[in-house]
Amino acid sequence: MPDLEIVHHAAPQALSTQLMAAPASIPPKYLYDELGSRLFEAICLLPEYYPTRTEAAIFQQHQDEIIEAVGLGRTLVDLGAGNCAKAARLIPALQTAHYVPIDISVDFLKQAILPLQQLYPHLPITPLGMDFSQGIELPKSLREERCIFFYPGSSIGNFQPDEAAQFLQRLTAASDQPSDLLIGVDLEKPAHVLEAAYNDALGVTAAFNLNVLRHVNRLLGSDFDTHDWRHIALFNQAEHRVEMHLEARRALTVHWPAHSRRFRQSERIHTESSYKYTKKSLNDLLEHARYKLCNTWTDANDWFAIVHARPAHSITR
Ligand SMILES: C[S@@+](CC[C@H](N)C(=O)[O-])C[C@H]1O[C@@H](n2cnc3c(N)ncnc32)[C@H](O)[C@@H]1O
């Protein structure tokens, strides 16, 4: 098993400040401890959660064109790799030279790469445990390799559009070679479809959202009780995003070292935004991040897009 290099961990100092603020928030990266990653895997199997199966169907339908567009024999850098299942399907088709899964959920990533190593015993794998929200650092040897930055699952939607552009821009600086971008992006669609996807009937998304409080308790030494909180998910049309919140079921006070925070009944903690794009706002995002859109593949309903782009400066005129 290759060593899992831990480049840097999420620093929880800012978390205290965000919890003390009004309104309170918890960054969505904290949804992913080991249990959170497993619950997200379960969410991907839910009938209401259309993104995973829609994205997979686009890949299946357009695989040959996608492979021809991005080219063979590259290093595949899988941003927020999760269970690595999406990359596992692409690795042989892309004749991947080197696989670099990156994830903040380090214990889950350690387990996710084991079956991959069995499946592709000759493939060099360099797993990196990293919080990439403030930037991405690749080990020096990797900077020389021609990479495809693979960012599926519409995780780009967890950044505000300005931050998303910054994140994409930083990727170009992470490598010394011009690197392609292959991202999955969720598109705007009727509110009832979006809200059902984040409010599933079995309550798996509710468990995923509530679990963030247990993770925060471990990180801060706080005393959140999940029984006191209710999962809320809604489409905020004006902001083009689905929001997840945790709402206090009663007035209560939460304590952690040197802090206490009072919450009124029905007061909310904002735990995740998932921005939804149109083809136009997606193109604007890429331009803002100084990428040139090369190809877009979508499903018949235009619910989801797979986008191939290149840093604008690398395109020969
Ligand atoms: C929505 S899931 C997507 C998982 C998988 N790529 C997929 O498409 O099914 C987001 C993934 O990104 C990881 N992640 C979230 N925030 C992160 C951060 N700041 N740095 C590194 N990984 C992060 C999570 O642990 C999780 O595995």
Side-chain angles (χ1 to χ4, degrees):
M1 168 175 173
D3 288 338
L4 191 149
E5 190 172 339
I6 298 183
V7 180
H8 56 261
H9 256 314
Q13 299 91 311
L15 181 55
S16 254
T17 313
Q18 286 164 298
L19 277 173
M20 292 303 290
S25 61
I26 298 174
K29 63 189 177 189
Y30 294 113
L31 290 163
Y32 297 94
D33 60 355
E34 191 178 351
L35 178 57
S37 295
R38 289 198 184 281
L39 288 167
F40 181 74
E41 247 189 325
I43 288 171
C44 292
L45 300 175
L46 295 168
E48 296 94 333
Y49 196 73
Y50 63 84
T52 309
R53 63 171 185 278
T54 310
E55 187 183 45
I58 302 171
F59 267 115
Q60 202 171 10
Q61 192 182 347
H62 298 284
Q63 175 154 314
D64 292 347
E65 290 162 58
I66 294 173
I67 287 161
E68 196 181 330
V70 299
L72 300 177
R74 305 280 200 89
T75 293
L76 188 65
V77 181
D78 191 355
L79 299 162
N83 64 9
C84 305
K86 293 177 183 175
R89 289 193 286 268
L90 277 180
I91 282 168
L94 286 171
Q95 297 177 17
T96 301
H98 186 180
Y99 177 53
V100 182
I102 303 182
D103 209 290
I104 196 171
S105 189
V106 175
D107 293 332
F108 187 73
L109 180 59
K110 277 183 193 158
Q111 294 169 47
I113 56 173
L114 295 176
L116 267 186
Q117 289 174 297
Q118 287 183 342
L119 208 53
Y120 308 117
H122 303 297
L123 174 71
I125 302 180
T126 305
L128 300 175
M130 183 193 295
D131 171 5
F132 52 53
S133 53
Q134 298 306 315
I136 187 155
E137 264 171 59
L138 293 181
K140 187 157 176 6
S141 58
L142 259 171
R143 294 187 58 98
E144 316 292 323
E145 298 178 18
R146 189 111 194 248
C147 299
I148 301 168
F149 286 108
F150 180 49
Y151 200 24
S154 203
S155 299
I156 191 76
N158 293 148
F159 290 110
Q160 287 177 24
D162 272 3
E163 292 170 354
Q166 261 179 37
F167 175 76
L168 296 180
Q169 239 174 314
R170 287 192 192 121
L171 289 182
T172 53
S175 169
D176 296 333
Q177 299 290 331
S179 294
D180 288 38
L181 189 63
L182 189 63
I183 52 173
V185 183
D186 201 9
L187 300 176
E188 282 199 23
K189 57 186 65 60
H192 72 273
V193 180
L194 289 168
E195 290 187 348
Y198 293 79
N199 269 311
D200 65 275
L202 289 180
V204 183
T205 313
F208 173 68
N209 194 10
L210 285 162
N211 178 60
V212 80
L213 298 179
R214 295 189 179 182
H215 191 195
V216 168
N217 281 348
R218 287 201 308 280
L219 291 168
L220 292 185
S222 50
D223 59 359
F224 279 102
D225 181 343
T226 50
H227 294 103
D228 290 332
W229 299 86
R230 169 187 301 126
H231 164 70
I232 304 279
L234 53 95
F235 181 49
N236 181 336
Q237 187 106 42
E239 296 289 343
H240 308 274
R241 67 188 191 203
V242 173
E243 296 174 3
M244 291 206 313
H245 300 261
L246 290 167
E247 185 176 273
R249 291 179 186 272
R250 59 179 181 87
L252 56 93
T253 302
V254 179
H255 310 88
W256 63 100
H259 296 83
S260 69
R261 167 71 205 254
R262 182 143 187 81
F263 289 93
R264 297 182 312 277
Q265 183 174 10
S266 303
E267 192 170 349
R268 291 177 179 179
I269 304 176
H270 190 161
T271 51
E272 187 186 70
S273 292
S274 296
Y275 283 83
K276 307 300 169 187
Y277 284 85
T278 60
K279 286 183 180 167
K280 158 120 187 32
S281 61
L282 181 52
N283 200 29
D284 291 347
L285 168 70
L286 292 168
E287 271 188 13
H288 187 180
R290 300 200 207 107
Y291 278 81
K292 171 99 180 76
L293 176 67
C294 302
N295 297 281
T296 307
W297 297 274
T298 57
D299 56 295
N301 295 319
D302 271 350
W303 274 10
F304 201 92
I306 292 171
V307 172
H308 171 222
R310 291 209 164 109
H313 66 79
S314 72
I315 309 264
T316 45
R317 278 165 271 253

